[in-house]
Amino acid sequence: MRKKKILFLLSDTGGGHRASAMAISEAIETLYPGRYEILIEDVWKRHMPSPISRFPDAYGWITGPGMPIWAVLWKLTYYRKIQRLMFASFAPLVKNSVAAFMRKEQPDLVVSVHPLMNHLGLQWCESAGLNVPFITVVTDMVTLHSSWICPEVDRCLVPTEKARMLALELGMPKERLAVHGQPVGLKFNAIGSDKKKHRQQLGINPDTPTILIVGGGEGTGQIYRIARRIAKTIPYGQMLVVTGRNQRLRARMDAVAWSIPTQVYGFVDNMPELMGAADLLVTKAGPGTISEAFITGLPLILSGYIRGQEAGNVAYVKEHRAGAYAATTRGLTTLARDWLDASNPILQELARNASLLARPNASLDIATDICKLV
Ligand code: UDP
């Protein structure tokens, strides 16, 4: 019997979209082993003509040093009229190629995990002559961009109640909207609270306070500056630093003779273990990373956020007292030092609050919802 085919549409901007698609795929395979064939297609990279196909490579820059430009683009394209113009200018560039791909693959269901793949995704299905269910899984936690919401899709699954309210405001019909949480890999659920064990497995000191520093898939934020300052301010600690796809940062970090034990990684595939080993996470306000921290009960200090889509995440973390936002590197390291003080009970309190926000079954619930429509 032919396996049913599920096609995920995304663009690799940051690490969160692919991580979400993979988490949902993993959950589908766990719930229905061998029943579905999963395809994950980076539409922008594989179907746009060059050099436009390389635009996503600039995402790290535009959401890092180029943030003011990003903030303007985000706001402008929030307006439906401008958004329609944007889609109309992209559409002809990819339409034939994506439609041909879809005709060849004949998916039984299409899932978009990217804001640019919803309105266009439906058009591609139509061009390919496909009449199959189309689902949007929103991976922005609170302040989602309006382009996520395309009221014509069959289902729209969002991570939080706040995102649901905004989706309603943006015109998504109530009966096709559901809150399941942020899709996160199932491995995070199994990580447990034995930090010493994870530290031993990573080959670091099991008894030393451990700070994990992350900047999303692109390794953005002031990671270098923060790590330098932590090394000075918390001389009794150790650091795990994930530089993601940012090779320049990796080289810069590798060149330092660190005064405290420091492991520098590139793009890792063992984030659950790294979180399991840490006492504290310092990160930009990426929804994927934050949700993973909630599941592992890891308190966090947000060192920055991408203007627009991550602004609401900062308020969300603060409101629920799962962590804090530090506007300056000095403020961040002072806070980290206070929290790591053995006599301060706050880390445990924050860890409990983080756990309360966890939706460990999000990927499984999303997978169930999706597969009902195939
Ligand atoms: N991630 C990873 N390896 C890395 C860096 C990041 O697996 O080296 C994952 C991280 O665990 C999370 C995602 O990439 O699932 C980042 O998503 P987030 O929403 O936090 O930020 P984005 O990169 O999308 O801006």
Side-chain angles (χ1 to χ4, degrees), residues 88-105:
S89 53
F90 289 156
L93 299 173
V94 278
K95 189 171 138 193
N96 291 342
S97 174
V98 186
F101 166 78
M102 283 184 163
R103 262 193 302 275
K104 178 176 151 261
E105 293 297 344

Side-chain angles (χ1 to χ4, degrees), residues 13-20 59 63 139-140 182-185 188 214-220 242-245 265-272 274-275 283-292 306 309-310 313:
T13 45
H17 301 293
R18 185 165 290 271
S20 298
Y59 186 76
T63 55
T139 63
D140 282 342
Q182 188 88 18
V184 160
F188 287 93
V214 183
E218 308 287 344
T220 46
V242 178
T243 59
R245 285 191 279 261
Y265 306 99
F267 195 92
V268 300
D269 58 9
N270 64 340
M271 195 63 85
L274 297 182
M275 287 197 181
T283 177
K284 77 171 182 84
T289 307
I290 292 176
S291 305
E292 290 159 2
I306 299 180
Q309 75 264 37
E310 289 183 355
N313 306 353

Side-chain angles (χ1 to χ4, degrees), residues 195 199 208-212 275 277-281 298-299 340 347:
K195 294 190 186 302
R199 289 177 195 162
T208 303
T210 306
I211 302 152
L212 172 62
M275 287 197 181
D279 295 296
L280 176 65
L281 170 67
L298 184 59
L340 286 171
L347 267 193

Side-chain angles (χ1 to χ4, degrees), residues 167-233:
L168 281 173
E169 266 174 43
L170 289 166
M172 192 63 216
K174 193 173 160 196
E175 61 284 1
R176 279 184 264 143
L177 194 52
V179 184
H180 288 317
Q182 188 88 18
V184 160
L186 297 176
K187 218 171 162 194
F188 287 93
N189 296 351
I191 220 62
S193 56
D194 191 347
K195 294 190 186 302
K196 287 192 182 188
K197 179 189 86 184
H198 290 296
R199 289 177 195 162
Q200 267 156 352
Q201 282 166 356
L202 290 171
I204 60 172
N205 193 322
D207 299 309
T208 303
T210 306
I211 302 152
L212 172 62
I213 308 177
V214 183
E218 308 287 344
T220 46
Q222 302 292 326
I223 292 181
Y224 179 81
R225 187 135 48 110
I226 292 167
R228 291 299 297 243
R229 195 151 193 121
I230 285 179
K232 258 196 220 148
T233 318

